[in-house]
Amino acid sequence: MNWYQVNEHPLDPMALYEGVRHRNVGAVVLFIGTVREMTGEKQTELLEYEAYVPMAEKMLQQIADEITMRWPGTLTAVHHRIGRLDIMEEAVVIATSSAHRADAYEANRYAIERIKEIVPIWKREHWTDGTEWMGDQKEQRPGRPKGVMT
Amino acid sequence: MNWYQVNEHPLDPMALYEGVRHRNVGAVVLFIGTVREMTGEKQTELLEYEAYVPMAEKMLQQIADEITMRWPGTLTAVHHRIGRLDIMEEAVVIATSSAHRADAYEANRYAIERIKEIVPIWKREHWTDGTEWMGDQKEQRPGRPKGVMT
Amino acid sequence: MIEVLCFAHVAEELKTRSYTMTAPITIAVLRTDLTARGVTGAERLMFAVNERYETDAYVVHDGDTVAVIPMVSGG
Amino acid sequence: MIEVLCFAHVAEELKTRSYTMTAPITIAVLRTDLTARGVTGAERLMFAVNERYETDAYVVHDGDTVAVIPMVSGG
């Protein structure tokens, strides 16, 4: 298994689960992000993801390294899909494993938050009433994204 | 799928995953507890779980109801295995789903903590140097377990 | 009569998975009786009546099922 | 020469996925140039040089690859 992968293939959560298991793991947490139909009153028809693939995979590896520093012994694997995704399809799977559950939960949550900060992947919503690139919003500040480790 | 199940069958994390998915889910969190070999210097050979099955399944349902009250729209499914389990086998799978990731993560963590408080399941460690029923430790106080909702 | 179900170390110490007692009886008395039967740490046991947790003052009646519940350790 | 890669709304507004610039050049100048080319919100873009995030003062050299990175929205 590739541990950090960004491509157009449908995702297989169990492959990541099997990847992070070993004899001294007591807890595995999987996060699976799926395409949701309704956001408030807005209806999504499909999502389109685009990535700067080589950098995105490198950033996923960096996030896993950050996790190893913060939660020693914790393993992380992340696959992110790109291209056009229908409602209910999986966009991202994050698997974390550790001896104890607190580390696996915290590391997993950390991974998704960091993905949303530093991994160059962009989502375009295809609403029933138009399309929109997400993320280019007023919260953004120029320069280094929040929390980038140097 | 039975949403709250305690029996001797091997667990199938994907069955729970599929169970909690629907068109307005954006985030699924799976927790999988597996049998770990080493705990400090102690080596586990196998684990043995015993349950008061009908009450355990009822308590799992209660935990799911508590989650629905705290995180509306969040679905929870839990399967717990009993009997003898080898290293790396799955003892428990918890699946939570919601529109947004924060709810799915928090509900999932809540579920495992509540399982360890109120669900009548007991674990016996078979160490390389003897066996021990876990849980009957000095932290326990008589009467209602901590945090039981009435 | 009530049925008392035993699990984990309690079942092992009593060498049985259930026994009967005469009702009505409080959980407090069931607890004391368990100590008399040689169960260790009975002061720390929990009890469920008909699959609901109840505390020491609860009165168990004829036909009820009581479960003696050592500290749980699932997950 | 440096290659500048474009993604998402930037690629759409420029109607290209890449263009070239003469080096050495700072990221600050690349940012200003993007505004001149009609990219909206250029003051909020991030930049990566050879797949590492860099800030406005960074000097890009011949042979480097720059990526213009709108606020990300993966996950």
Side-chain angles (χ1 to χ4, degrees):
Chain A
M1 182 187 70
N2 294 323
W3 286 58
Y4 316 105
Q5 182 176 295
V6 177
N7 63 36
E8 304 210 343
H9 298 128
L11 299 177
D12 177 3
M14 287 310 278
L16 283 87
Y17 169 60
E18 294 299 339
V20 300
R21 293 176 75 190
H22 60 75
R23 292 177 72 79
N24 285 318
V25 162
V28 179
V29 174
L30 288 175
F31 173 83
I32 302 149
T34 56
V35 179
R36 187 181 64 235
E37 183 165 30
M38 299 306 296
T39 298
E41 296 295 296
K42 290 183 88 72
Q43 185 177 4
T44 296
E45 288 185 332
L46 60 85
L47 286 188
E48 193 181 347
Y49 284 97
E50 176 181 324
Y52 179 21
V53 171
M55 182 171 170
E57 291 181 343
K58 190 177 289 191
M59 290 293 108
L60 293 178
Q61 164 89 65
Q62 176 185 314
I63 292 168
D65 293 346
E66 292 172 14
I67 285 171
T68 299
M69 282 191 291
R70 288 176 180 231
W71 295 280
T74 301
L75 301 179
T76 307
V78 185
H79 289 186
H80 201 300
R81 191 170 169 196
I82 53 177
R84 285 173 168 247
L85 275 70
D86 290 326
I87 306 297
M88 286 188 72
E89 285 198 281
E90 291 92 355
V92 61
V93 178
I94 303 169
T96 51
S97 71
S98 64
H100 301 284
R101 67 186 182 282
D103 289 359
Y105 276 112
E106 290 165 22
N108 200 287
R109 186 75 189 266
Y110 178 85
I112 186 65
E113 302 304 332
R114 290 292 277 156
I115 286 167
K116 288 170 177 289
E117 285 173 358
I118 67 166
V119 179
I121 299 176
W122 300 273
K123 173 169 68 178
R124 178 149 66 172
E125 285 272 4
H126 291 246
W127 307 107
T128 48
D129 61 354
T131 73
E132 181 181 5
W133 282 106
M134 306 305 287
D136 193 26
Q137 288 136 355
K138 64 181 185 303
E139 307 89 80
Q140 194 180 15
R141 293 287 171 274
R144 221 170 263 282
K146 174 168 64 99
V148 169
M149 298 179 84
T150 52
Chain B
M1 182 187 69
N2 293 323
W3 286 58
Y4 316 105
Q5 182 176 295
V6 177
N7 63 35
E8 304 210 343
H9 299 128
L11 300 178
D12 177 3
M14 287 309 279
L16 282 88
Y17 169 61
E18 294 298 340
V20 300
R21 294 176 73 190
H22 60 76
R23 291 177 72 81
N24 285 317
V25 161
V28 179
V29 174
L30 288 175
F31 173 83
I32 302 149
T34 57
V35 179
R36 186 181 66 234
E37 183 164 30
M38 300 305 298
T39 299
E41 297 295 295
K42 289 183 90 71
Q43 185 178 2
T44 296
E45 288 185 330
L46 62 86
L47 286 188
E48 192 182 348
Y49 284 97
E50 177 182 324
Y52 179 20
V53 171
M55 182 172 169
E57 291 180 343
K58 191 177 289 190
M59 290 294 108
L60 293 177
Q61 164 88 65
Q62 177 185 315
I63 291 167
D65 292 346
E66 292 172 14
I67 284 171
T68 299
M69 282 191 291
R70 289 178 180 230
W71 296 279
T74 301
L75 301 179
T76 307
V78 185
H79 289 186
H80 201 300
R81 190 169 170 197
I82 53 177
R84 285 175 169 246
L85 276 70
D86 290 327
I87 306 296
M88 285 187 73
E89 285 197 281
E90 291 93 353
V92 61
V93 178
I94 303 168
T96 50
S97 70
S98 64
H100 301 284
R101 68 187 181 282
D103 289 359
Y105 276 112
E106 289 165 22
N108 200 287
R109 186 74 189 267
Y110 178 85
I112 185 66
E113 302 304 333
R114 289 293 278 156
I115 286 168
K116 289 171 177 289
E117 285 172 0
I118 67 166
V119 179
I121 299 176
W122 301 274
K123 173 169 69 177
R124 178 151 65 174
E125 285 274 3
H126 290 245
W127 307 107
T128 48
D129 61 354
T131 73
E132 181 181 7
W133 282 106
M134 306 304 287
D136 192 27
Q137 288 138 355
K138 64 181 184 304
E139 307 89 80
Q140 193 180 18
R141 293 289 170 272
R144 223 169 261 284
K146 176 168 61 101
V148 170
M149 298 179 82
T150 53
Chain C
M1 297 282 277
I2 59 167
E3 186 176 20
V4 182
L5 306 179
C6 308
F7 301 94
H9 80 89
V10 176
E12 286 188 346
E13 289 176 350
L14 295 177
K15 297 186 175 59
T16 184
R17 299 216 151 258
S18 69
Y19 59 94
T20 55
M21 294 286 280
T22 307
I25 189 171
T26 63
I27 286 174
V29 173
L30 284 168
R31 185 188 300 282
T32 306
D33 177 67
L34 282 162
T35 300
R37 289 168 187 257
V39 171
T40 57
E43 71 282 3
R44 292 178 274 115
L45 295 169
M46 298 186 288
F47 292 83
V49 181
N50 303 329
E51 305 174 5
R52 271 179 61 110
Y53 287 105
E54 300 293 352
T55 48
D56 273 13
Y58 189 89
V59 180
V60 185
H61 291 286
D62 246 9
D64 286 341
T65 298
V66 176
V68 181
I69 301 198
M71 186 175 167
V72 306
S73 52
Chain D
M1 298 282 277
I2 60 167
E3 185 175 22
V4 182
L5 306 178
C6 309
F7 300 94
H9 80 89
V10 176
E12 285 188 347
E13 289 177 351
L14 294 178
K15 296 184 175 60
T16 184
R17 299 215 151 258
S18 71
Y19 59 94
T20 55
M21 295 284 283
T22 306
I25 189 171
T26 63
I27 286 174
V29 173
L30 284 167
R31 187 189 298 283
T32 305
D33 177 68
L34 281 162
T35 300
R37 289 169 187 257
V39 171
T40 57
E43 70 283 3
R44 293 178 274 115
L45 295 169
M46 298 186 288
F47 293 83
V49 181
N50 303 329
E51 304 175 5
R52 272 179 59 110
Y53 286 106
E54 301 293 353
T55 48
D56 272 13
Y58 189 89
V59 180
V60 185
H61 292 285
D62 247 7
D64 287 340
T65 298
V66 176
V68 182
I69 303 201
M71 187 175 165
V72 306
S73 52

